[in-house]
Amino acid sequence: MDVGEIVVTGSRIARPNLDAPTPVSVIDTRTIEARGAINTGDVIRTLPAAGVSSITPTNSGFQTAANGITTVDLRNLGEDRTLVLVNGRRFVAGLVGTQVVDFNTIPTELVDRVDVVTGGASATYGSDALAGVVNIITKRNIDGVIVAGQYGLSEREDDERIKVSVTAGKTFADGKGSITASLGYNQIGSIYAKDRKDQGLDLDAVDDYDGDPANYKLIHSQTAGLFSSYTPTGVFELPREGASSLLRTYDASGTLVPYSGALGFNRQGSRLLQVPLKQWNFATYGSYEFNEKARLFTEVNFVSSKLTSNIEATPLGSDQIYGAFAFCDTGVCQSGVPILSAVVPEAVRNAARAANPGVSDDNLVVGFRRRLTEVGDRGNDIDRQTFRFVAGIEGDINPAHHYELSINYGRTDDEQTSSGDIDAVRFRNALDAVVVNGSAVCRDPAARAAGCVPINIFGAGSITPQAADYVRVPTSRDAFVEQLVVNGFLRGDLFELPAGTVGYAAGAEYRRERAADVPDLLTQTGQTSGNATPPTRGRFDVTELFGELRVPILADLPFVQSLDLNLAGRYSNYSTVGVTEAWAASVEYQPASWLKLRGQFARAVRAPNISELYSPASQDFPTVNDPCAGVTRTAGGQAAFFNTRTNIGDPSAVLGSGVNAATVGNAVATACLADPAVAARVARDGGFALTQIEQQGVTGFDGGNANLRAEKGDSYTVGLLINPKGMGFLDNLSLSVDYYVIKIKDRIATISEDKLLTGCYGPAGFNTGNAFCSAVGRFGSGPSVGALNFVNQVNDNFAETDTRGWDVQVSYRQDLNDLGFLDGLYGGEKGALTMSLAYGYLEKLQTTPFKGADRADFIYDAGTVGAPTNEWTLDLLYRRGPLQLAWNTQFIGDVVVTKDVNDFYYNVPLSSKTFHNAQVRYDVTEKASIYAGVDNIFDNYQFVGGTSGLVPGQTTGWTTYPDVYDAVGRRFYAGARMRF
């Protein structure tokens, strides 16, 4: 069939057929239908070129602001480096503050095909295309009405899925006008951990692994009873001078007993592992051609999604109510409830006294860990709406030149209310009670006047409904992201060369992005159970010029059927990072009709998004190792360390341990003494000996950085395409092999607090002007002079990433009637078989966390979970008359959990996994078809570890990696489609 000139993703220049100067993976509507997919992103994520999505319905249950979103991450370079288009135009983000698109907002009913281009494409489409482009092409010119419905359920009777749609289209005015509209409803059901005992999901447990990779497969099992110490009965900490706290709880009879793990709380009993989704979507596409010089077109998308997440009740600790150290008068530093409060039972009060003989009651407290089951489970109710409107005009100025002008507006609103949280100020008031007229009342008169009700946290069910109502507080957030794009370009033919016509595309674009994420006032000020979360607000705009040339150099010569040069460039001026430039150059050489060689070099850019630039500083309390602990100065004035570096229980033991002779002149010690605050501490005390308060009182503020620069990515691809036309049974074979290299410089990232400290006080010396030391703050005076005050994690252009590998694509179609040797086996119509294979070999995926990092700090991801060395997906489709059979196989090769030598799970192996899906479809009439399918036919499951999320990268609550391997198991679906 002659498809005429089309625009191939990766270039704006119209091409005579579906060839391209860069590798393109195409997923057509038949493949999507044969998978029974509700979400297009789920199909894309099976491609070897796709990495691990950070957000999916199965791994976002613990997210505070992104429940149920589905993203695509090409090459494992991060979703922010994958540009998503619809019909060649940007689609508004679904994750506020980013350019990350939620594939839930793009219904499958109107998807004609999906083009996936990997490698830098910023010169053609703009920022964010460092890893590649996903371009979704929608169906047009539908005549009639199509009604479709599908229902699915897992073998374990969860993961219920419903898809219903009505699509109608009409052409009019003798084919000059057309309109297509679709209304659909999608539903994805919940998965609860308690219902999946066979997958080890019903117990809150950790993996019983001893750290030796050789033993991993032999002892890989869960151990029950390793439950949370935040229990509905409460675990109470009785501080002791010079010793660890005593832990006490209540047994089933209500007796105060020592706490053990067997008395802990099983969080899996209430965990929701898959966030349920209910979604209405509406889309319409229209066009009207006044004449060949003017055709109006419009696109409208509206999606309304409602999601509900649910996890176990809030775990609350006394440090969240009172701070890390609220009472230190006696040296027994502990946060907790004063033992003289009327809510403290006499048994607990006496136990605290017994643990601290000679300490007055006024200076004794009881720390606690309590699961607030009476307040209710935590959960989010999310109302997420996405609206997108495109309008434009295009036409032919003359037969050689085509123009297009368009305006593209999109907005996502994300409103969320959350349950299960508490007001920390009210909780503190409710814990401090006195007895008045025989009844316990809150001590603070102002709190009593405001309705304070004493809260008893000692024992199961001890919190009364009135007390729960007093401390319970709903929280909320109101967020949006808005995008406006105005685009115009020309394309066509410039002039003739001996080898053919020079083609071009040139245009300009203006884009504006705005976003805000505003939590309620209690959350902003940190008066809930979590840390303070300030609002995020920001905007930027960019004006761009772009152009492309396709230059035929040679043609119709011996061994040179064609040789073409493709050039592309883009100049961008951002309100945030200033001027950026992207460009690409590629060569296509076709020595024969059945063989093409191609290669490209591209420079791509990514400007920082609103969250990376403008996220305000949010406080946390990191656990850090101060590299300056134990530093001193010798009698001769040289820097050195003591023999004992730290002893927070007895700091004097550090100062009296003597100088370690091997550390005299040590570079780190020298860098530490170059810090005036540390030097002041050493001058005062003779050395730097950390106290417990100083060790555990470090805070930090993590946020954006308005001074970020744009990321730069260089990509190289070289490959060949084989299409042996005129070679008998190979006529319908298509093979492409491509080698790619992508290098990203100035990658926006954060560095761990410990790495910031070692970078600041490293061999290069202390320097307040570098990015490491600017994140570190020490007390400049007072009793804690020299001790760490804060270590801030902020975004900066720290990292570099290098990935390379091979892509192989094979497609083949064979009409079985043409195979003569089958005549003797089967007469009559034999049908046709179509095969499509995508294979990926990942040679390297390496990140340098910051310039000058030791090789021990490099992150090696190739061959680890989510980045297998070998991966492929195979689609087989057999069609005979009204019958169609489809079989899909996804293979994920052997991996190890991590290649970090410092990690407990270093080189722990996970064997390869293969997942199979099948579908049968039958055309009852020319206008009606029915189908049924089974996903994960053999119910394969990659068991990894316990549910506590301790295995690197593993989603809490699961015993697998649900974002990498099929976690749902065997499931069935059936549907019907009718056309009128």
Side-chain angles (χ1 to χ4, degrees):
M1 180 180 69
D2 182 9
V3 297
E5 288 197 332
I6 65 171
V7 174
V8 177
T9 300
S11 171
R12 293 182 185 270
I13 299 176
R15 311 294 290 270
N17 50 46
L18 276 172
D19 67 345
T22 54
V24 181
S25 298
V26 179
I27 304 171
D28 61 17
T29 184
R30 179 172 288 187
T31 300
I32 295 172
E33 291 176 353
R35 300 275 188 94
I38 287 181
N39 189 303
T40 308
D42 292 338
V43 180
I44 299 172
R45 291 194 300 116
T46 64
L47 291 174
V52 180
S53 297
S54 63
I55 310 175
T56 69
T58 54
N59 73 358
S60 59
F62 286 81
Q63 296 274 351
T64 58
N67 302 121
I69 286 175
T70 297
T71 62
V72 168
D73 178 359
L74 294 180
R75 301 292 188 206
N76 272 314
L77 296 176
E79 287 95 337
D80 277 305
R81 297 169 189 87
T82 296
L83 177 61
V84 178
L85 310 172
V86 173
N87 297 320
R89 304 178 189 91
R90 286 179 177 265
F91 199 89
V92 65
L95 187 61
V96 173
T98 74
Q99 270 78 59
V100 177
V101 170
D102 178 10
F103 279 80
N104 285 321
T105 60
I106 305 173
T108 60
E109 288 78 15
L110 286 177
V111 175
D112 183 57
R113 76 174 196 272
V114 181
D115 294 347
V116 180
V117 178
T118 56
S122 291
T124 302
Y125 295 109
S127 181
D128 311 324
L130 272 71
V133 174
V134 176
N135 189 12
I136 298 172
I137 310 300
T138 59
K139 297 175 182 176
R140 304 295 178 91
N141 300 327
I142 295 175
D143 264 319
V145 178
I146 301 172
V147 179
Q150 180 177 307
Y151 178 82
L153 193 68
S154 81
E155 189 176 71
R156 295 161 180 85
E157 298 184 356
D158 53 16
D159 187 43
E160 182 181 46
R161 299 195 173 218
I162 299 171
K163 179 169 74 170
V164 180
S165 67
V166 178
T167 304
K170 178 70 176 177
T171 58
F172 54 92
D174 296 326
K176 295 180 179 179
S178 70
I179 186 168
T180 300
S182 178
L183 177 65
Y185 173 78
N186 295 333
Q187 180 175 316
I188 299 177
S190 58
I191 297 177
Y192 279 93
K194 62 185 178 182
D195 298 328
R196 293 191 164 236
K197 183 176 182 180
D198 64 313
Q199 294 174 330
L201 295 171
D202 60 319
L203 292 178
D204 188 1
V206 297
D207 188 51
D208 191 11
Y209 166 54
D210 68 355
D212 184 355
N215 295 335
Y216 184 68
K217 293 182 180 180
L218 299 177
I219 64 169
H220 188 58
S221 60
Q222 284 185 302
T223 300
L226 299 173
F227 300 143
S228 170
S229 62
Y230 289 81
T231 71
T233 59
V235 173
F236 309 106
E237 302 178 33
L238 308 179
R240 296 183 295 172
E241 179 74 38
S244 59
S245 298
L246 297 175
L247 300 183
R248 295 291 184 265
T249 190
Y250 291 96
D251 63 14
S253 66
T255 303
L256 194 67
V257 297
Y259 173 75
S260 67
L263 298 174
F265 175 69
N266 180 23
R267 293 171 290 185
Q268 292 296 101
S270 54
R271 279 179 172 169
L272 181 66
L273 299 181
Q274 178 167 279
V275 179
L277 164 72
K278 294 182 179 179
Q279 179 187 85
W280 287 94
N281 57 75
F282 172 77
T284 181
Y285 304 94
S287 67
Y288 187 82
E289 184 178 348
F290 293 98
N291 52 54
E292 63 182 14
K293 295 186 183 330
R295 183 181 74 91
L296 294 176
F297 60 88
T298 62
E299 301 176 9
V300 178
N301 299 86
F302 177 75
V303 180
S304 178
S305 304
K306 295 187 181 298
L307 304 102
T308 302
S309 69
N310 186 86
I311 57 175
E312 66 276 8
T314 296
L316 189 70
S318 47
D319 58 335
Q320 297 166 268
I321 299 299
Y322 296 102
F325 296 98
F327 297 87
C328 294
D329 293 347
T330 66
V332 182
C333 295
Q334 177 67 42
S335 62
V337 187
I339 70 164
L340 294 181
S341 172
V343 301
V344 179
E346 192 65 24
V348 176
R349 193 175 293 144
N350 290 334
R353 291 166 177 156
N356 297 276
V359 180
S360 69
D361 286 354
D362 290 336
N363 288 324
L364 285 180
V365 298
V366 177
F368 66 86
R369 306 172 198 173
R370 180 63 149 78
R371 184 74 53 178
L372 304 180
T373 52
E374 298 93 335
V375 174
D377 285 351
R378 289 170 290 170
N380 297 327
D381 289 318
I382 299 172
D383 188 353
R384 188 177 293 136
Q385 296 183 340
T386 298
F387 172 76
R388 178 175 181 262
F389 172 76
V390 177
I393 184 170
E394 65 174 351
D396 294 330
I397 299 173
N398 56 47
H401 301 281
H402 180 88
Y403 75 92
E404 180 182 305
L405 297 171
S406 67
I407 183 169
N408 176 358
Y409 173 81
R411 181 180 171 106
T412 295
D413 287 285
D414 194 337
E415 297 179 358
Q416 174 181 307
T417 57
S418 303
S419 58
D421 212 338
I422 56 96
D423 183 322
V425 174
R426 287 189 172 191
F427 209 100
R428 182 164 58 248
N429 288 332
L431 283 171
D432 190 10
V434 295
V435 176
V436 177
N437 298 324
S439 299
V441 296
C442 298
R443 185 187 301 273
D444 187 336
R448 286 204 303 270
C452 181
V453 178
I455 191 165
N456 180 4
I457 60 172
F458 298 88
S462 59
I463 300 177
T464 65
Q466 295 79 11
D469 289 342
Y470 173 68
V471 299
R472 182 190 296 114
V473 59
T475 58
S476 63
R477 59 182 289 271
D478 190 359
F480 79 89
V481 59
E482 184 180 71
Q483 179 186 82
L484 174 68
V485 183
V486 180
N487 181 284
F489 66 89
L490 295 170
R491 71 165 181 257
D493 302 332
L494 285 178
F495 50 83
E496 292 291 327
L497 292 177
T501 304
V502 175
Y504 80 97
E509 181 173 292
Y510 171 80
R511 176 163 58 96
R512 185 192 70 200
E513 303 269 355
R514 293 197 309 136
D517 191 341
V518 183
D520 62 273
L521 289 177
L522 284 178
T523 303
Q524 289 185 38
T525 55
Q527 295 185 61
T528 62
S529 62
N531 295 327
T533 305
T536 299
R537 296 184 178 91
R539 61 172 292 167
F540 68 84
D541 58 35
V542 54
T543 303
E544 303 181 280
L545 300 174
F546 57 88
E548 293 183 60
L549 280 176
R550 188 186 190 204
V551 182
I553 299 174
L554 299 173
D556 301 326
L557 298 173
F559 305 108
V560 186
Q561 194 168 88
S562 65
L563 177 64
D564 297 332
L565 173 67
N566 304 282
L567 302 172
R570 178 176 289 254
Y571 172 90
S572 306
N573 192 346
Y574 285 84
S575 61
T576 51
V577 297
V579 172
T580 67
E581 296 175 347
W583 51 273
S586 65
V587 174
E588 299 171 82
Y589 167 50
Q590 190 162 357
S593 61
W594 56 272
L595 176 64
K596 174 182 281 190
L597 306 177
R598 62 189 177 191
Q600 174 178 276
F601 172 76
R603 162 63 58 88
V605 296
R606 184 181 83 87
N609 61 42
I610 289 171
S611 288
E612 291 166 332
L613 288 165
Y614 302 120
S615 290
S618 299
Q619 188 175 19
D620 69 355
F621 299 91
T623 299
V624 298
N625 296 305
D626 190 341
C628 297
V631 72
T632 186
R633 195 185 299 274
T634 67
Q638 289 185 282
F641 286 109
F642 288 115
N643 284 303
T644 299
R645 297 281 298 273
T646 59
N647 185 340
I648 61 175
D650 183 11
S652 63
V654 175
L655 300 176
S657 66
V659 173
N660 184 341
T663 66
V664 174
N666 178 274
V668 174
T670 302
C672 288
L673 288 181
D675 187 328
V678 177
R681 177 69 164 259
V682 172
R684 187 192 72 181
D685 298 345
F688 182 17
L690 278 170
T691 67
Q692 183 180 7
I693 294 176
E694 292 169 344
Q695 172 71 32
Q696 299 179 354
V698 181
T699 187
F701 293 87
D702 307 339
N705 181 357
N707 297 315
L708 289 171
R709 305 184 305 278
E711 298 178 342
K712 298 181 180 68
D714 292 336
S715 64
Y716 312 79
T717 59
V718 58
L720 59 85
L721 296 89
I722 298 174
N723 194 351
K725 294 292 184 182
M727 298 185 182
F729 72 94
L730 294 179
D731 273 2
N732 295 318
L733 173 68
S734 178
L735 168 66
S736 67
V737 180
D738 293 278
Y739 180 72
Y740 66 87
V741 176
I742 302 175
K743 296 182 178 180
I744 299 177
K745 301 176 182 178
D746 296 329
R747 179 170 175 168
I748 298 169
T750 59
I751 300 178
S752 71
E753 290 88 351
D754 281 335
K755 294 298 183 186
L756 287 169
L757 287 167
T758 56
C760 178
Y761 301 98
F766 175 78
N767 180 0
T768 56
N770 67 35
F772 301 99
C773 293
S774 63
V776 177
R778 294 182 181 271
F779 290 103
S781 60
S784 291
V785 61
L788 288 169
N789 181 12
F790 62 82
V791 183
N792 296 334
Q793 275 192 319
V794 296
N795 296 314
D796 212 326
N797 298 92
F798 285 122
E800 296 182 359
T801 297
D802 182 359
T803 185
R804 59 189 66 185
W806 294 85
D807 288 328
V808 178
Q809 296 185 68
V810 183
S811 63
Y812 182 72
R813 185 183 184 280
Q814 179 62 55
D815 189 334
L816 300 184
N817 291 302
D818 295 338
L819 299 179
F821 64 85
L822 291 179
D823 290 342
L825 299 176
Y826 183 77
E829 177 65 31
K830 301 177 184 64
L833 180 66
T834 302
M835 181 272 288
S836 178
L837 171 71
Y839 167 76
Y841 177 80
L842 181 59
E843 180 181 312
K844 182 179 183 181
L845 179 56
Q846 175 185 304
T847 296
T848 305
F850 52 89
K851 292 180 177 65
D854 294 331
R855 294 197 68 84
D857 294 323
F858 287 11
I859 302 169
Y860 301 96
D861 284 325
T864 64
V865 174
T869 302
N870 295 284
E871 185 176 8
W872 51 265
T873 182
L874 172 68
D875 285 286
L876 298 174
L877 186 70
Y878 171 74
R879 181 95 188 183
R880 177 176 174 267
L883 177 67
Q884 176 179 291
L885 302 175
W887 187 281
N888 165 256
T889 300
Q890 182 188 14
F891 173 83
I892 302 173
D894 295 342
V895 294
V896 297
V897 171
T898 178
K899 292 184 178 180
D900 183 352
V901 296
N902 299 312
D903 196 280
F904 187 66
Y905 284 85
Y906 170 67
N907 268 351
V908 166
L910 294 176
S911 60
S912 63
K913 280 292 178 182
T914 306
F915 300 94
H916 301 274
N917 314 303
Q919 185 192 91
V920 58
R921 184 179 293 260
Y922 190 80
D923 295 334
V924 180
T925 68
E926 290 185 356
K927 296 186 176 183
S929 62
I930 57 175
Y931 59 92
V934 183
D935 289 338
N936 198 349
I937 295 172
F938 303 108
D939 200 29
N940 282 340
Y941 190 81
Q942 180 67 282
F943 190 93
V944 174
T947 59
S948 297
L950 298 180
V951 181
Q954 184 186 359
T955 301
T956 300
W958 286 95
T959 54
T960 188
Y961 290 93
D963 40 13
V964 178
Y965 303 98
D966 187 301
V968 180
R970 187 183 293 119
R971 52 203 182 275
F972 309 90
Y973 64 89
R977 178 184 176 93
M978 292 176 287
R979 184 162 189 159
F980 303 95

